[in-house]
Amino acid sequence: MILTASESESKGGAELLPSLIKRLQNLWYRRPVRTQILIAFLAVTVVTSLFACFLKVLDAGNRTRIEMRASMDLAESFVRETARSLLNETEARNLLQTLEAQLKHLRHVRIEVVRANGERGPSKNRPPQEPSNEREPASVPRWFIEMVRPPANRFNVPIRVEDQPIATVLIQGEPSDEIAEVWNDYRTMLLLWIGTNLLMLSALYVVLGRILDPLVGLAGAMKRLEHGHSAVRVEPPKVRELRLIADHFNQLAAALDAVNAENSRLCRDLITVQEEERRQIASELHDEVGPCLFGIMVNASSIEQYAQPLPEKISSEIASRISEIRTISDRLKSINRRLLKKLRPIALGRITLKELITKLSSEFELRHPNIRFSTITNDLQLSYGESIDLTIYRCIQEGITNALRHANPKNIVVQLAHETITGPDGEAAYSQISLNIRDDGEGIRDPAPNGFGLATMRERVRALNGTFSLSGNWPSGTAIDITVPAGCSTGEKRLAAEFFGNRA
């Protein structure tokens, strides 16, 4: 199907209009509610004001026409009455001076005397000695003059003495000064309108800010609720409708808080059960599997000794089988040792926390030689108690495992430090352990939900009243930031110091 140029243009215009409307709608709905109300109020005010200005201009035109008609009628009546009272030609010659004296206060007209011989006298609408106090029409916009100016009116009043025409008085309207006065009133009214509307908009801005301020607080509370702070609450405002919204939000937050508390409790119970099962399995592997493997090795050595007196062919065959048994046993020992380390760090409570973390990082580095591991520790105590040490160990273990499994990094950095937070008076307020795990891998995929490992890390940290944060690491990768209160008791510190001191 071939379209002509006009059809293509019409089709393009039809497609452009909905797109323009959609953009305008997006631009409008992105504005705050207060801005939308102010813009709507301003738009209504401008439209009504333009209509009022149009009516004012029409009224100004009517006023100017009425004023000019009255001035023209007054001038004509006065000139006719003055001319009717003339008795002789001498008085007629003094007509101009008479009109000057009598009409000097008459506005909006121009008077000119034309004698019978065609000689024109000077036009007069005020004495030449008095300067004009009327506003010059040059300051009035041209469009206003065209809309307000009345039709030109002109009267001729003949002057006769003894039925002989001796002169003619020409009376012509001069609306410029009246238009200037009307424009002055119009401009004053316009300035007052602008000032009044600015004051109204300012007052409305402040009032709307006070009324809608609870919505800003509610939006911030929703943002915090989105980030998992279910304990957030908002103060119910005085406005009835907003108070209902705040009450429903607080009820929702309370329900979520209860659900999160229940989930946290269940997760902590699950972690406790998991650790207990790991402890039991590790104990069984250590107490049962280890001795069994040792017994296999002892029996294999005993069989090898008993087989030595046998013929060489049989003895060599038995020795070959015993060698395979030893190889398999060594492999089972290695697997058992690795499972024990994975289930529960054997060195926990036997070496310092710094040594424990360094050893964990070295084990990962041995298994992944193509990845660079960096471990930085600052001002750590010997130990913070089994619960804190185990939590830090598990978080580092899970964080590195997640990075290796999902991010394909080239560098992994673990920073562990003991921090002392000072209060406003400069004295130490409390201490905390800060853990940061960063990699330069593929980063966080937004649609991907958090797995059980991250949830376990978060709940372990929350169980110790700590904080957990997962974010992107600039310019690439993932960052895990954890803080845990350094809350081991004085007795635990003393026992740890004594234990590691005696070990040294």
Side-chain angles (χ1 to χ4, degrees):
M1 181 179 180
I2 301 176
L3 298 176
T4 62
S6 60
E7 291 176 344
S8 299
E9 292 178 358
S10 61
K11 184 177 180 180
E15 294 176 352
L16 181 62
L17 183 59
S19 176
L20 180 61
I21 294 176
K22 186 175 181 180
R23 289 184 180 180
L24 291 176
Q25 288 178 345
N26 292 335
L27 183 63
W28 169 258
Y29 289 115
R30 287 176 183 173
R31 302 298 95 195
V33 177
R34 179 164 60 175
T35 304
Q36 292 182 7
I37 294 176
L38 290 176
I39 292 175
F41 175 79
L42 183 61
V44 173
T45 304
V46 169
V47 172
T48 54
S49 299
L50 289 176
F51 182 71
C53 289
F54 176 73
L55 296 180
K56 182 66 177 177
V57 170
L58 293 181
D59 180 67
N62 292 331
R63 286 174 50 194
T64 304
R65 284 192 293 270
I66 294 173
E67 183 72 17
M68 291 303 301
R69 186 179 301 111
S71 298
M72 292 288 292
D73 293 342
L74 179 60
E76 182 184 9
S77 300
F78 185 81
V79 171
R80 289 185 185 278
E81 289 296 329
T82 303
R84 190 178 297 116
S85 63
L86 294 176
L87 298 177
N88 51 51
E89 188 174 352
T90 301
E91 293 182 355
R93 294 191 188 99
N94 297 327
L95 177 61
L96 180 58
Q97 289 78 10
T98 303
L99 292 178
E100 287 178 355
Q102 298 294 332
L103 300 179
K104 64 179 181 180
H105 299 296
L106 194 61
R107 305 166 57 199
H108 312 320
V109 292
R110 185 176 63 188
I111 300 173
E112 184 178 9
V113 178
V114 181
R115 294 178 173 83
N117 58 5
E119 181 183 355
R120 289 178 176 267
S123 61
K124 300 290 181 179
N125 61 347
R126 60 180 56 87
Q129 294 82 8
E130 296 184 9
S132 174
N133 294 325
E134 300 291 342
R135 182 169 178 167
E136 291 296 330
S139 61
V140 183
R142 187 68 184 174
W143 62 269
F144 189 81
I145 296 176
E146 295 297 331
M147 295 184 67
V148 175
R149 183 193 297 275
N153 292 326
R154 185 171 183 175
F155 297 102
N156 297 331
V157 180
I159 301 176
R160 297 174 179 273
V161 176
E162 297 177 356
D163 293 331
Q164 294 296 324
I166 62 172
T168 302
V169 178
L170 303 180
I171 303 173
Q172 185 174 356
E174 278 293 329
S176 58
D177 51 356
E178 178 65 20
I179 293 176
E181 290 181 2
V182 172
W183 168 251
N184 188 30
D185 296 340
Y186 185 81
R187 188 178 63 174
T188 302
M189 182 196 70
L190 186 62
L191 293 176
L192 289 175
W193 174 84
I194 293 175
T196 303
N197 278 275
L198 287 177
L199 290 176
M200 291 178 60
L201 286 175
S202 301
L204 188 61
Y205 182 85
V206 174
V207 171
L208 287 176
R210 296 293 299 274
I211 294 176
L212 299 178
D213 186 64
L215 291 180
V216 178
L218 185 62
M222 287 183 175
K223 195 69 176 178
R224 295 184 60 191
L225 188 64
E226 179 185 358
H227 291 163
H229 302 283
S230 57
V232 64
R233 300 293 185 272
V234 295
E235 187 70 21
K238 296 181 180 180
V239 182
R240 179 177 178 274
E241 290 78 5
L242 299 181
R243 185 171 65 250
L244 291 176
I245 296 176
D247 291 341
H248 284 85
F249 172 83
N250 290 335
Q251 293 174 8
L252 174 63
L256 288 177
D257 197 14
V259 172
N260 287 337
E262 180 66 17
N263 289 339
S264 298
R265 186 188 64 79
L266 293 175
C267 193
R268 286 193 296 270
D269 292 344
L270 180 61
I271 293 172
T272 302
V273 171
Q274 184 186 56
E275 288 296 334
E276 184 62 29
E277 288 182 351
R278 285 179 173 180
R279 186 181 294 107
Q280 292 179 1
I281 294 174
S283 178
E284 291 178 1
L285 288 176
H286 182 270
D287 297 339
E288 300 293 338
V289 178
C292 291
L293 292 175
F294 178 75
I296 291 174
M297 294 292 292
V298 170
N299 285 300
S301 298
S302 178
I303 293 173
E304 186 179 18
Q305 292 179 359
Y306 282 114
Q308 288 179 356
L310 298 176
E312 182 179 356
K313 183 176 181 180
I314 299 175
S315 176
S316 61
E317 187 69 24
I318 293 176
S320 175
R321 298 290 187 274
I322 291 175
S323 177
E324 292 180 3
I325 291 173
R326 286 176 174 171
T327 301
I328 295 173
S329 297
D330 290 338
R331 186 177 177 185
L332 288 175
K333 284 182 180 180
S334 177
I335 294 173
N336 186 50
R337 192 178 299 110
R338 188 168 65 249
L339 287 175
L340 286 173
K341 290 181 180 179
K342 187 175 181 181
L343 290 171
R344 182 174 177 82
I346 301 175
L348 182 64
R350 300 179 182 178
I351 59 177
T352 64
L353 177 61
K354 179 179 179 180
E355 293 172 341
L356 184 66
I357 301 307
T358 304
K359 188 175 181 180
L360 176 63
S361 180
S362 300
E363 292 174 358
F364 276 109
E365 193 169 3
L366 287 176
R367 293 200 299 268
H368 304 276
N370 58 332
I371 298 176
R372 181 183 176 185
F373 292 86
S374 300
T375 303
I376 304 172
T377 57
N378 294 321
D379 302 330
L380 293 179
Q381 297 179 5
L382 299 178
S383 176
Y384 294 90
E386 181 178 345
S387 59
I388 295 180
D389 289 356
L390 183 59
T391 297
I392 293 174
Y393 181 89
R394 291 299 188 198
C395 288
I396 295 176
Q397 184 183 46
E398 186 64 34
I400 295 178
T401 302
N402 277 340
L404 296 174
R405 185 179 300 167
H406 304 292
N408 191 25
K410 292 182 174 56
N411 296 278
I412 297 178
V413 179
V414 177
Q415 292 179 319
L416 185 64
H418 181 98
E419 299 176 347
T420 301
I421 309 301
T422 58
D425 54 356
E427 298 182 358
Y430 63 93
S431 299
Q432 67 180 18
I433 306 168
S434 175
L435 172 62
N436 309 109
I437 306 172
R438 283 167 170 74
D439 65 76
D440 58 353
E442 298 176 359
I444 304 173
R445 298 179 180 88
D446 291 337
N450 292 337
F452 178 73
L454 290 176
T456 303
M457 291 172 62
R458 183 179 289 106
E459 292 305 323
R460 285 181 184 274
V461 173
R462 286 182 178 177
L464 298 176
N465 296 321
T467 61
F468 177 91
S469 173
L470 177 67
S471 60
N473 182 36
W474 190 89
S476 64
T478 305
I480 298 176
D481 298 304
I482 296 172
T483 60
V484 176
C488 60
S489 63
T490 305
E492 289 177 329
K493 292 181 181 179
R494 181 176 54 79
L495 291 175
E498 291 178 356
F499 174 78
F500 293 112
N502 293 333
R503 191 196 64 172

